[in-house]
């Protein structure tokens, strides 16, 4: 008997990784809606980080973010090579199914999800999703995280694994979404293998390419009624952007690019 296509909605950040995931899933799922949230304001993000991390760390992170614009230009050939190697496509989803919102936590998003008859909600690159959104439907929310959880929650999990000489846990996780930061039950995990030509801006491409078949399998599990989760790899840790000082130190002392 032929398996029917999963019916999904997507909650996305406005960026290439979301389009890569959309195009990878579009041929193997019926995408009913793609909700794209506006990038949170830089001022609000800075205020949030100041409360958590303090001035010294945040200034260092802002320095790295500025420096990384140059780094991305330096690594652009490798980025293009990997996009071609993995067949990643950044075509925008059709306007008819695209809903642009200020935040995925808006009331309009809850109304949309209640109206749609989906099997699952695929999340990619959004802010933390509120309990009100998660509980507005009984369908699973499934996220791709570029790190092995819960050991590398937060951001840049592949980079931090390499910094800590933990290549065994340099990888990607497809997991259920709860109200924590990458704390939901693990569905699938996959290690990646980086090459000498890789760096900070190419690790996520390896991770996304590894995650796409895992996400497809998770959606098949939903349709088959076999979706199950497990604990990930501990201990749990929450990671942030490196500071410029940290990046340069690890670059020259450990050759982590």
């Amino acid at each position: 008997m032929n398996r029917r296509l999963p019916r999904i909605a997507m909650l996305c950040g406005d960026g290439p990784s979301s389009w890569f995931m959309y195009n990878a899933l579009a041929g193997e799922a019926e995408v009913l809606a793609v909700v794209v949230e506006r990038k949170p304001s830089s001022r609000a993000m800075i205020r949030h980080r100041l409360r958590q991390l303090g001035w010294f760390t945040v200034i260092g992170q802002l320095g790295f973010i500025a420096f990384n614009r140059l780094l991305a230009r330096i690594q652009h050939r490798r980025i293009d090579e990997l996009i071609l190697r993995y067949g990643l496509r950044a075509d925008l989803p059709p306007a008819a199914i695209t809903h642009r919102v200020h935040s995925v936590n808006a009331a309009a998003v809850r109304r949309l999800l209640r109206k749609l008859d989906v099997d699952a909600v695929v999340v990619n690159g959004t802010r933390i999703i509120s309990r009100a959104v998660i509980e507005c439907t009984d369908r699973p929310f499934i996220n791709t995280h570029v790190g092995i959880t819960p050991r590398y929650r937060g951001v840049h999990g592949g980079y931090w694994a390499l910094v800590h000489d933990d290549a065994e846990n340099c990888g990607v996780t497809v997991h259920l979404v709860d109200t924590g930061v990458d704390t939901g039950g693990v569905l699938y995990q996959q290690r990646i293998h980086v090459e000498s030509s890789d760096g900070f801006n190419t690790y996520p491409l390896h991770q996304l390419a590894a995650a796409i078949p895992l996400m497809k399998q998770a959606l098949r599990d939903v349709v088959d009624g076999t979706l199950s989760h497990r604990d990930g790899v501990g201990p749990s840790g929450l990671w942030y952007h490196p500071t410029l000082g940290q990046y340069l130190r690890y670059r020259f002392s450990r050759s982590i690019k």
Side-chain angles (χ1 to χ4, degrees), residues 189-210:
Q189 293 182 317
Q190 178 68 49
R191 275 62 180 176
I192 64 166
H193 300 284
V194 301
E195 302 167 25
S196 60
S197 53
D198 285 312
F200 191 86
N201 295 287
T202 66
Y203 306 142
L205 293 172
H206 290 292
Q207 291 168 300
L208 183 64

Side-chain angles (χ1 to χ4, degrees), residues 17-257:
S17 72
S18 295
W19 317 141
F20 293 154
M21 182 61 74
Y22 164 76
N23 284 286
L25 297 180
E28 299 186 32
E30 186 179 353
V31 185
L32 302 185
V34 180
V35 177
V36 184
E37 74 168 2
R38 192 178 307 161
K39 184 177 179 181
S41 75
S42 298
R43 183 175 298 179
M45 292 293 293
I46 290 171
R47 284 200 302 265
H48 176 69
R49 291 181 185 177
L50 284 173
R51 289 193 296 269
Q52 289 186 311
L53 305 173
W55 277 101
F56 183 80
T57 297
V58 171
I59 290 172
Q61 290 176 334
L62 292 174
F64 172 74
I65 291 170
F67 173 77
N68 192 44
R69 293 171 185 164
L70 171 63
L71 196 62
R73 288 199 292 269
I74 294 172
Q75 296 173 344
H76 78 93
R77 288 186 180 178
R78 178 61 171 169
I79 291 169
D80 292 344
E81 176 188 334
L82 292 178
I83 289 172
L84 182 63
R85 175 194 296 185
Y86 292 127
L88 301 174
R89 293 171 45 219
D91 303 338
L92 295 177
I97 63 169
T98 300
H99 305 261
R100 291 192 173 269
V101 297
H102 174 72
S103 166
V104 290
N105 294 322
V109 176
R110 299 196 297 273
R111 290 193 296 269
L112 176 65
L113 293 178
R114 290 191 193 106
K115 183 175 69 174
L116 296 173
D117 179 23
V118 299
D119 297 300
V121 180
V122 174
V123 179
N124 193 94
T126 70
R127 70 191 74 198
I128 299 299
I129 298 176
S130 70
R131 183 179 300 277
V133 173
I134 294 171
E135 293 182 351
C136 79
T137 174
D138 61 359
R139 305 309 188 194
F141 287 65
I142 306 176
N143 181 55
T144 296
H145 173 66
V146 286
I148 295 294
T149 64
R151 182 173 293 195
Y152 296 103
R153 298 184 296 115
V155 294
H156 310 305
Y159 170 78
W160 287 116
L162 295 173
V163 163
H164 289 86
D165 196 24
D166 190 17
E168 174 64 21
N169 289 302
C170 178
V172 68
T173 301
V174 171
H175 66 92
L176 296 174
V177 175
D178 60 18
T179 56
V181 180
D182 307 315
T183 53
V186 170
L187 302 175
Y188 293 101
Q189 293 182 317
Q190 178 68 49
R191 275 62 180 176
I192 64 166
H193 300 284
V194 301
E195 302 167 25
S196 60
S197 53
D198 285 312
F200 191 86
N201 295 287
T202 66
Y203 306 142
L205 293 172
H206 290 292
Q207 291 168 300
L208 183 64
I212 285 170
L214 305 184
M215 180 63 77
K216 290 178 179 179
Q217 182 59 56
L219 294 176
R220 288 193 290 268
D221 293 344
V222 171
V223 170
D224 292 343
T226 58
L227 189 72
S228 63
H229 63 86
R230 58 181 173 81
D231 295 335
V233 178
S236 180
L238 183 59
W239 301 89
Y240 301 89
H241 288 285
T243 65
L244 180 57
Q246 286 175 321
Y247 176 82
L248 293 175
R249 182 165 71 252
Y250 300 139
R251 173 67 180 87
F252 293 110
S253 66
R254 305 183 191 180
S255 298
I256 306 301
K257 298 185 291 185

